[in-house]
Amino acid sequence: MNIAGVIFDCDGTLVDSERLAAGLLRDILNQHQVLLSVDEVLQRFRGVQFALCLEGLCRDYPWLPGDDIEPEFRARTLPLLQERLEEMPGAVEFVRNLSLPKCVASNGPRSKIETCLSTVGLLDVFHGLIVSAYEVQSWKPSPILIEHAAELLGLAPTQCLLVEDSIPGVEAGLGAGAQVAGYGDTDFSAFMDNANFHRVKDFGELKELVQRIS
């Protein structure tokens, strides 16, 4: 089925925020004698509800003060993003030139999503077109977030292409019945036999995909 709209993940898809956030969490964990690399934190962090990520860390490192870590992480995240965040290469140009209806569906809180989009110059494009998992109380890999995003566009999920860089995000999109573009350097090999999954390494390949299926 040809697509009629595009749903974008935010972190790691439109904006290069995940490594920044993982680096911040690494630094906070180091303060509590948990010595993980950025890549190790990113593996736990990418596409996962933050509360579940922190729950897993506290289970593996029982001395961590979980109630203190999340407020510190949240307080330090937005200033870090405002100072250092960059777009994923080609994201802004692609989004601004995309004529199809579009929105953002993210596991992050709205304040973070809007800060990210504002910092790279995309907030105006997605004004009124943002769905946060915290507001619908459903996080990827549940398909519910994607269903809400499609509804925001006035489309069925089957009419949408979801652009995602994480495995939970891909699972959410496929579960909702959407076409899914697996973006970036994540290992998506588990989905390669799914007819609704498309591998795209950059926004150039995404442009070609959208032209082909819209």
Side-chain angles (χ1 to χ4, degrees):
M1 179 181 292
N2 289 346
I3 61 160
V6 180
I7 302 168
F8 292 94
D9 172 51
C10 186
D11 297 301
T13 301
L14 292 175
V15 297
D16 195 6
S17 55
E18 288 185 327
R19 187 162 288 274
L20 285 177
L24 172 58
L25 184 55
R26 184 263 330 259
D27 293 345
I28 294 172
L29 292 172
N30 284 357
Q31 296 170 8
H32 299 283
Q33 290 73 54
V34 175
L35 305 179
L36 298 175
S37 69
V38 171
D39 286 335
E40 288 171 324
V41 174
L42 192 57
Q43 187 173 9
R44 291 172 171 265
F45 182 85
R46 177 176 276 169
V48 177
Q49 181 186 355
F50 186 79
L52 294 181
C53 173
L54 186 55
E55 182 180 299
L57 287 165
C58 290
R59 187 168 53 247
D60 293 344
Y61 307 97
W63 63 88
L64 280 173
D67 290 343
D68 296 335
I69 288 176
E70 182 164 5
E72 181 179 0
F73 177 78
R74 295 295 185 198
R76 294 173 60 182
T77 294
L78 298 189
L80 175 67
L81 294 173
Q82 289 168 331
E83 179 183 353
R84 296 179 53 191
L85 184 65
E86 296 180 354
E87 64 169 306
M88 297 304 287
V92 172
E93 180 182 5
F94 177 86
V95 169
R96 288 201 170 276
N97 289 333
L98 181 64
S99 58
L100 291 173
K102 47 193 171 283
C103 68
V104 169
S106 171
N107 269 358
R110 179 172 290 267
S111 59
K112 181 186 177 188
I113 302 167
E114 292 184 346
T115 296
C116 288
L117 295 175
S118 176
T119 302
V120 301
L122 281 176
L123 185 58
D124 63 304
V125 178
F126 292 110
H127 178 70
L129 296 168
I130 295 169
V131 183
S132 164
Y134 286 82
E135 295 170 355
V136 300
Q137 286 296 296
S138 184
W139 286 259
K140 306 166 190 176
S142 168
I144 293 175
L145 182 66
I146 309 307
E147 292 167 357
H148 276 276
E151 184 178 353
L152 190 62
L153 295 177
L155 300 171
T158 53
Q159 296 175 286
C160 298
L161 173 69
L162 173 66
V163 186
E164 262 288 350
D165 76 309
S166 74
I167 288 173
V170 170
E171 291 172 342
L174 294 176
Q179 300 287 314
V180 180
Y183 167 83
D185 59 4
T186 301
D187 180 4
F188 291 119
S189 55
F191 306 105
M192 295 306 291
D193 292 335
N194 191 308
N196 285 350
F197 178 80
H198 314 273
R199 184 78 176 89
V200 296
K201 294 185 177 179
D202 55 39
F203 276 89
E205 291 188 5
L206 180 61
K207 180 179 180 179
E208 294 173 1
L209 172 65
V210 170
Q211 289 173 340
R212 189 167 72 248
I213 66 173
S214 64

